[in-house]
Amino acid sequence: MPFLEEHQSPLINDSNGNTLVQIRNLKKWFPVRRSLFSKIKPDERFVHAVDGVSLGIRKEEAISIVGESGCGKTTLARLMLRLLEPTEGTILFESRDLFATTKAEMHKLRVQIQAVFQDPYSSLDPKKTVLQIVSEPLEVNHLTKRGRETLERVSYSLSAVGLDPPPRFLAKFPYELSGGQRQRVAIARAMVVNPRLIIADEPVSMLDASIRAEILNVMLNLRDKFNLTYVFITHDLAVARYVSDRMAVMYLGRVVEVGPADEICLNPTHPYTKALLSALPTTDPRKRHEGVELKGEVPSAVRIPAGCRFRPRCLYAFDKCNAEPELIKVGKDHYAACWLGEAS
Amino acid sequence: MLQVENLRTYYRTPQGSLKAVDGVSFTLEKGEILGLVGESACGKTTVALSTVRLLPPAAQVMGGKILLHGEDLLTKTENEMKHVRWKKVSIIFQGALNSLNPVLPVKEQIAEAILAHDNLTGEEVDTAIGRLFKAVRLDPDRRKNYPHEFSGGMKQRVMIAMALACDPEVVIADEPTTALDVIVQRQILDLIRNLRDERHISMILITHDLSVVAQLCDKVGIMYAGKIVEFGDIFSIFETPRHPYTQALLKSIPKMEQTKTQLSYIPGSVPDLTGEVPACRFYGRCPYAQQLCSETEPKIEETGPQSYVACHFWRNIKAH
Amino acid sequence: MSSEPVLEREESYSRTRVYIRALVAFWRVYRRNKTGIIGLCMLIFFVAVAILAPYIAPYDPNKAFLSAFLQPPSSNHLFGTNEAGQDLFSQVVYGTRASLTVGFAAAFIAATIGTLIGITAGYFGKLIRDLLMRLTDFFIVIPALVLMIVLASVLGSGLTSVVLAIGLVGWTGTARVVMSQTLSLKEQAFVEASKASGAGDFYILRSHVLPNVMPVAFAQTVLVVANSILYEATLTFLGLGNPNQVTWGQILQFAFVSGAITTAWWYVLPPGLSIMLVVLAFSLTGYSLDLVFNPRVRKV
């Protein structure tokens, strides 16, 4: 599988040995569910949720995967958590293939990669107390014996996310907590096993705008304190910029632009990134700008457009766009999958 | 044109009377877009429902007036309200795009709304729906489709079309963009603005997202725990916020235009509105709170034409 | 470190404490429902009668008063006597024991089978679900009573067969309810979160699905008890029970067989009324439990 194209390799594997996760030409296609009488055309048999993603995640960085619904970012997150098996390609965690490990090894790896989910209301079992919820990863992976040790580790975790003093929260049920507190519990649960990588799937999109900062700050502080690596999945570019060092923009199952967050927001190369940025509502009422630079609706992931997949909606398409571009270097550590980027 | 005076709506709960809306006043002129902003459960939806008198059975308007062209909507009978709803004031509920009946074509659902308030023939209704679809930038031929054949953004446009069906003067939109992606959200916001420009509709936009407000509104009312704590035109609210809550809200939105700064947030949570409410409801989370704030409720003080704030110490607080 | 609550021993946060708190919270909601309280009181009454039977019944139910055959109610015999001279009041009181026990036992069996099938069908893939659902449909389609009669006859007469017959047939309602609840639970984020933490399927079933399914299963089961008592009465009435064991159905069976059913109203009324009241009690309670456990208020 010649997936390490020349211009891709620094993307996947930073040669300083700084790479924690390597995503190699990952694909996940879901078969289309057919009802008894529908005829499925041969090229419409799969939903191409993730369609060839190659990306390296560096140690202790915070990287956001940004895109709208249907772009594949959530599927990518599930693949990284090994909740799904890939159709093609693989993910290496510290040079070990996540999908080729034995059960015993998988246990050890699982503990290194933990997750925080989107909905603080349904990601906690309503029938369990905070203690039970946060101690579950310890219990499931047989990391502690019951009793004192569990209590201490859970308390430490709760303290780390700002739920102080821990004894006050241990016996509470989720319905007794606010949205922000629940999300903190979810973070504490992810932290309790001392992971190296945390994947956060839209961790703040269901919280009120005024408490988002609360949770984001908790996560950032934890990163500094515990040398964590974060992958943030979000559709909100402003949040992505605030919270991450690097940003990867996804469209229809592929990464179309990746680079330092500030750089991408100030100098976007790919037209889709530009459209996303132009779509952000302003925060200054004096600077209201008109519309989005985009045509049409998001196509279904079943029939990926031929050539550059963004072409049908792109305002700048030209003849070269008949061929699907790979990620090309357009700046320092900045790559875009667009033929327009070749000029620079 | 629309004047709400001292509206009070309480909910009956087993724990007592929940003062969801406790003395809310504002005015809305023709062609204006008013934003009602606040965290969840601050009462903004209740204000909307009170205006169209579609409150759930546990809720009751306890006082105040809602004047539409001088007539108090709260004193009207249910029959009279039927002539007001949809024809004068219509509402797009929160999460409305999920309330489309999956087994009926969209056309029929809009027709239902029209026929409930107007006597038109089938053909007239069909033409009207065609026009509505065009108004919300949807292909009129698609009106025969079922809801599942539309994307989220398109469904929201259908809901907007439904709200415009009887040519109302006021449209209330409750969180119209919350469930939508960024690009679609922007398209809906632009659509709303265009509709206002074309038809001179007045709107009340309810949201918890200040950036939506910045994009679209002329006037803003900041609600907290059942009261409006600050009210004013969009520029003064954003540039010279007076109430500590407004200031805190503004500081918690990440701004793309500037480099990274630590976002701040508001510690604590909203007070329980059933029990004893401390005099200033923001007491306990306010960085400037003093003894007086826990004893006396702050009066509404004018800070400019059609602007006011409810805070004891707003003059001393630097509007940053 | 603050001076606030100090980290206590693990026992303070133990499972029992959690259950107690949950129970208290549940009770606060439940007691607001008047029908539920009425139902519960009736239930308590009947259970008390069953437990205290020896103290309430004036005579041994099997003792035959040779001088008083088929006597209407009198001060000696509150419910009168049957054709063998036995005191019907004592019979009805002791019958409470057997009827309730059979009801509970049968319902317990049905609940266990129903819950196990429900969570298996709901949690695992389409194939298993389809298989189990077809099995359930089979049991639903065939009239329950007919199936029970067949089973009870095959298993031989006696109360154990009755219990088994009811239990092995009456699980379908529970299975369906539990399956649909499991299906929706499976999609919840906390199940996904558990998997991401490394939990296996059985852990999730045991630790997350089962506790969340228990409330609906329990509410359903209370109704199953009501039905079981009815079925027990029917089956013993049809002669499939144990003539030496006093149950309400058995009393009715003797009334029928002896021909007294048309003339001696005091023979038929007490057991019939008892059955009706107990079933009512369970139904009211079960209905109220259902109201409590169905989440109608969702936080947005």
Side-chain angles (χ1 to χ4, degrees):
Chain A
M1 242 191 307
F3 41 70
L4 286 175
E5 249 76 37
E6 207 190 305
H7 49 252
Q8 273 186 332
S9 41
L11 193 57
I12 305 179
N13 192 356
D14 197 325
S15 44
N16 317 358
N18 226 5
T19 313
L20 184 66
V21 179
Q22 291 180 39
I23 304 175
R24 292 190 173 183
N25 202 25
L26 195 62
K27 290 191 189 170
K28 179 67 185 168
W29 293 359
F30 295 101
V32 171
R33 294 208 291 171
R34 34 202 315 211
S35 64
L36 206 53
F37 296 110
S38 66
K39 269 209 312 182
I40 308 266
K41 306 198 195 101
D43 59 345
E44 282 184 7
R45 281 182 305 136
F46 293 102
V47 177
H48 308 265
V50 174
D51 204 20
V53 169
S54 293
L55 190 61
I57 297 172
R58 301 172 191 154
K59 295 183 184 160
E60 294 179 37
E61 78 166 333
I63 178 169
S64 292
I65 312 235
V66 184
E68 299 179 284
S69 18
C71 72
K73 54 194 201 293
T74 312
T75 311
L76 185 62
R78 293 214 170 80
L79 284 162
M80 283 199 269
L81 290 166
R82 211 189 155 169
L83 291 169
L84 292 172
E85 303 279 319
T87 310
E88 236 183 83
T90 188
I91 302 179
L92 301 185
F93 183 81
E94 288 186 321
S95 309
R96 273 174 302 173
D97 188 334
L98 266 187
F99 301 103
T101 53
T102 62
K103 234 182 168 198
E105 279 180 350
M106 194 58 220
H107 260 293
K108 283 203 231 126
L109 278 184
R110 263 264 156 72
V111 164
Q112 310 259 32
I113 311 175
Q114 288 293 305
V116 175
F117 295 90
Q118 177 176 13
D119 185 350
Y121 297 97
S122 69
S123 68
L124 304 180
D125 186 333
K127 295 241 164 325
K128 293 199 180 286
T129 58
V130 167
L131 173 61
Q132 291 170 317
I133 293 172
V134 178
S135 64
E136 183 176 298
L138 292 172
E139 198 184 315
V140 158
N141 291 295
H142 310 293
L143 290 175
T144 56
K145 297 210 182 357
R146 284 277 199 87
R148 192 88 209 162
E149 202 188 335
T150 308
L151 264 188
E152 284 179 354
R153 280 185 79 158
V154 168
S155 305
Y156 184 63
S157 204
L158 288 175
S159 219
V161 298
L163 289 173
D164 258 321
R168 180 138 49 107
F169 293 96
L170 287 174
K172 284 206 191 286
F173 288 98
Y175 71 84
E176 296 175 291
L177 302 172
S178 71
Q181 287 172 323
R182 285 185 223 205
Q183 205 61 319
R184 287 187 197 237
V185 169
I187 299 172
R189 171 177 59 189
M191 292 291 304
V192 81
V193 286
N194 290 328
R196 295 202 57 190
L197 173 65
I198 291 195
I199 300 181
D201 188 355
E202 303 272 14
V204 294
S205 67
M206 291 192 75
L207 300 172
D208 274 335
S210 54
I211 27 176
R212 284 180 192 175
E214 176 185 334
I215 299 302
L216 293 175
N217 287 339
V218 165
M219 297 182 92
L220 287 179
N221 291 335
L222 286 175
R223 193 247 309 232
D224 296 334
K225 202 167 158 196
F226 294 96
N227 304 94
L228 291 168
T229 308
Y230 274 113
V231 174
F232 282 98
I233 314 276
T234 180
H235 67 269
D236 187 337
L237 274 154
V239 163
R241 183 187 175 176
Y242 176 72
V243 94
S244 50
D245 311 314
R246 273 202 310 158
M247 220 192 278
V249 180
M250 276 188 78
Y251 182 75
L252 275 189
R254 275 198 156 213
V255 174
V256 296
E257 188 159 1
V258 58
D262 287 335
E263 172 73 13
I264 293 204
C265 292
L266 296 171
N267 286 327
T269 306
H270 196 285
Y272 180 62
T273 316
K274 288 190 190 162
L276 277 183
L277 285 166
S278 73
L280 282 179
T282 181
T283 44
D284 183 349
R286 297 222 188 257
K287 296 200 191 128
R288 291 177 182 176
H289 40 268
E290 273 300 321
V292 182
E293 309 163 13
L294 202 57
K295 301 190 282 188
E297 293 260 333
V298 182
S300 116
V302 174
R303 284 201 75 198
I304 307 273
C308 171
R309 51 193 66 205
F310 188 62
R311 186 169 187 233
R313 304 179 76 194
C314 186
L315 299 175
Y316 310 98
F318 61 111
D319 50 0
K320 206 160 183 197
C321 303
N322 277 329
E324 176 139 44
E326 297 291 335
L327 284 164
I328 311 167
K329 190 167 173 142
V330 296
K332 181 160 192 268
D333 201 26
H334 184 177
Y335 300 80
C338 179
W339 298 118
L340 290 172
E342 257 188 340
S344 54
Chain B
M1 189 183 87
L2 178 73
Q3 218 170 322
V4 174
E5 276 177 29
N6 210 18
L7 178 67
R8 282 181 302 133
T9 307
Y10 297 172
Y11 282 80
R12 280 190 303 275
T13 71
Q15 285 86 25
S17 195
L18 192 132
K19 306 181 184 63
V21 176
D22 204 16
V24 160
S25 311
F26 60 83
T27 54
L28 183 67
E29 307 294 331
K30 190 168 166 68
E32 268 190 336
I33 302 186
L34 164 69
L36 266 188
V37 186
E39 296 168 272
S40 343
C42 70
K44 43 198 206 291
T45 304
T46 310
V47 169
L49 294 177
S50 305
T51 311
V52 286
R53 306 265 303 273
L54 285 174
L55 290 164
Q60 213 181 345
V61 177
M62 303 297 280
K65 297 198 192 125
I66 299 182
L67 303 168
L68 181 65
H69 293 306
E71 283 180 32
D72 190 355
L73 295 180
L74 292 172
T75 57
K76 286 189 186 284
T77 64
E78 180 57 26
N79 250 335
E80 290 170 339
M81 272 312 287
K82 284 208 176 107
H83 292 287
V84 172
R85 273 188 218 118
W86 241 253
K87 292 178 116 167
K88 304 258 176 63
V89 182
S90 70
I91 180 166
I92 305 172
F93 297 100
Q94 199 170 15
L97 44 107
N98 290 323
S99 65
L100 285 170
N101 188 338
V103 301
L104 287 178
V106 151
K107 172 171 103 129
E108 280 183 39
Q109 304 189 48
I110 305 186
E112 219 182 302
I114 299 180
L115 290 171
H117 299 99
D118 258 334
N119 261 326
L120 296 175
T121 65
E123 234 196 86
E124 287 172 337
V125 169
D126 201 49
T127 335
I129 296 181
R131 268 190 285 119
L132 284 170
F133 260 58
K134 284 215 198 91
V136 296
R137 320 286 194 265
L138 280 174
D139 181 3
D141 289 330
R142 295 199 61 174
R143 54 183 183 254
K144 308 183 232 65
N145 289 136
Y146 288 85
H148 68 262
E149 298 176 275
F150 291 93
S151 70
M154 293 164 90
K155 280 192 269 198
Q156 191 66 303
R157 288 174 199 256
V158 167
M159 298 315 293
I160 296 177
M162 220 190 279
L164 294 174
C166 301
D167 233 345
E169 299 173 314
V170 179
V171 176
I172 304 177
D174 195 348
E175 305 274 12
T177 56
T178 305
L180 303 172
D181 279 328
V182 136
I183 289 187
V184 177
Q185 180 171 323
R186 185 47 184 274
Q187 291 171 333
I188 297 291
L189 290 178
D190 288 344
L191 172 68
I192 291 179
R193 182 156 8 103
N194 290 336
L195 286 171
R196 187 273 302 264
D197 294 339
E198 286 164 18
R199 294 168 171 235
H200 304 292
I201 304 177
S202 315
M203 282 200 70
I204 302 179
L205 188 66
I206 298 178
T207 179
H208 70 267
D209 192 343
L210 269 175
S211 50
V212 166
V213 167
Q215 184 67 25
L216 206 53
C217 300
D218 306 311
K219 288 202 299 213
V220 185
I222 309 272
M223 273 194 78
Y224 184 77
K227 289 181 180 286
I228 294 189
V229 295
E230 188 164 356
F231 189 87
D233 70 278
I234 184 85
F235 302 114
S236 32
I237 293 276
F238 272 78
E239 289 164 8
T240 50
R242 306 224 187 261
H243 197 283
Y245 180 60
T246 317
Q247 294 175 357
L249 271 184
L250 285 168
K251 275 194 266 193
S252 68
I253 20 173
K255 296 177 177 40
M256 272 315 234
E257 290 86 39
Q258 45 176 197
T259 52
K260 262 192 263 226
T261 46
Q262 269 270 346
L263 273 185
S264 63
Y265 69 95
I266 313 171
S269 51
V270 186
D272 182 5
L273 294 175
T274 47
E276 266 297 309
V277 179
C280 172
R281 291 175 182 203
F282 197 51
Y283 181 75
R285 301 175 80 189
C286 181
Y288 307 103
Q290 310 268 345
Q291 182 71 8
L292 180 63
C293 304
S294 66
E295 291 162 3
T296 331
E297 200 176 312
K299 281 207 176 41
I300 293 184
E301 297 175 47
E302 289 217 1
T303 55
Q306 288 218 25
S307 313
Y308 62 79
V309 69
C311 174
H312 291 299
F313 300 105
W314 67 271
R315 285 187 189 77
N316 314 17
I317 301 170
K318 212 177 8 148
H320 70 128
Chain C
M1 283 299 266
S2 62
S3 56
E4 272 237 40
V6 163
L7 197 64
E8 300 171 43
R9 301 165 57 197
E10 204 217 354
E11 293 79 71
S12 323
Y13 307 107
S14 70
R15 288 212 146 74
T16 13
R17 270 279 202 103
V18 172
Y19 289 148
I20 294 177
R21 283 187 62 210
L23 211 62
V24 170
F26 156 77
W27 176 246
R28 263 194 233 119
V29 181
Y30 183 83
R31 73 171 175 207
R32 277 192 250 130
N33 196 315
K34 288 199 195 72
T35 22
I37 296 298
I38 295 177
L40 196 61
C41 288
M42 289 168 73
L43 272 187
I44 294 179
F45 169 73
F46 279 105
V47 170
V49 167
I51 296 178
L52 300 170
Y55 303 102
I56 303 178
Y59 311 104
D60 180 315
N62 291 317
K63 180 174 157 94
F65 290 85
L66 299 166
S67 56
F69 296 127
L70 228 48
Q71 293 285 321
S74 62
S75 49
N76 265 343
H77 301 283
L78 283 170
F79 285 169
T81 58
N82 64 10
E83 79 286 3
Q86 294 160 326
D87 176 40
L88 281 172
F89 182 67
S90 311
Q91 291 222 320
V92 170
V93 166
Y94 270 95
T96 316
R97 280 192 166 182
S99 295
L100 282 182
T101 314
V102 169
F104 281 126
F108 179 74
I109 295 177
T112 314
I113 300 177
T115 309
L116 284 175
I117 292 187
I119 51 180
T120 314
Y123 188 80
F124 294 102
K126 194 161 191 298
L127 205 62
I128 297 187
R129 177 162 74 246
D130 283 344
L131 211 74
L132 288 173
M133 278 301 101
R134 296 295 81 77
L135 177 70
T136 315
D137 287 342
F138 171 78
F139 274 90
I140 292 178
V141 158
I142 301 192
L145 193 55
V146 170
L147 210 50
M148 286 183 205
I149 293 175
V150 169
L151 259 175
S153 337
V154 161
L155 291 167
S157 65
L159 281 185
T160 349
S161 332
V162 168
V163 167
L164 281 174
I166 302 176
L168 290 171
V169 172
W171 51 266
T172 51
T174 314
R176 274 184 143 189
V177 155
V178 166
M179 185 198 81
S180 93
Q181 178 84 335
T182 307
L183 274 178
S184 78
L185 274 175
K186 194 171 61 147
E187 304 306 319
Q188 293 280 326
F190 62 82
V191 169
E192 204 179 21
S194 268
K195 287 196 190 150
S197 303
D201 285 331
F202 283 110
Y203 178 86
I204 293 178
L205 279 177
R206 179 171 50 90
S207 174
H208 289 288
V209 174
L210 206 55
N212 277 296
V213 151
M214 287 300 234
V216 257
F218 186 67
Q220 182 75 15
T221 304
V222 171
L223 296 169
V224 172
V225 175
N227 273 334
S228 303
I229 293 181
L230 264 178
Y231 279 126
E232 179 277 315
T234 316
L235 290 174
T236 44
F237 178 75
L238 291 173
L240 292 160
N242 183 349
N244 296 320
Q245 256 282 27
V246 177
T247 77
W248 294 330
Q250 197 60 52
I251 300 176
L252 287 172
Q253 209 252 347
F254 281 140
F256 179 67
V257 158
S258 70
I261 206 159
T262 42
T263 51
W265 60 269
W266 61 89
Y267 204 154
V268 174
L269 193 61
L273 205 60
S274 304
I275 295 173
M276 196 194 86
L277 288 174
V278 163
V279 170
L280 184 65
F282 275 107
S283 304
L284 290 177
T285 314
Y287 175 71
S288 310
L289 277 179
D290 202 42
L291 281 181
V292 169
F293 289 134
N294 271 327
R296 260 121 111 271
V297 178
R298 269 207 90 221
K299 261 189 152 192
V300 169

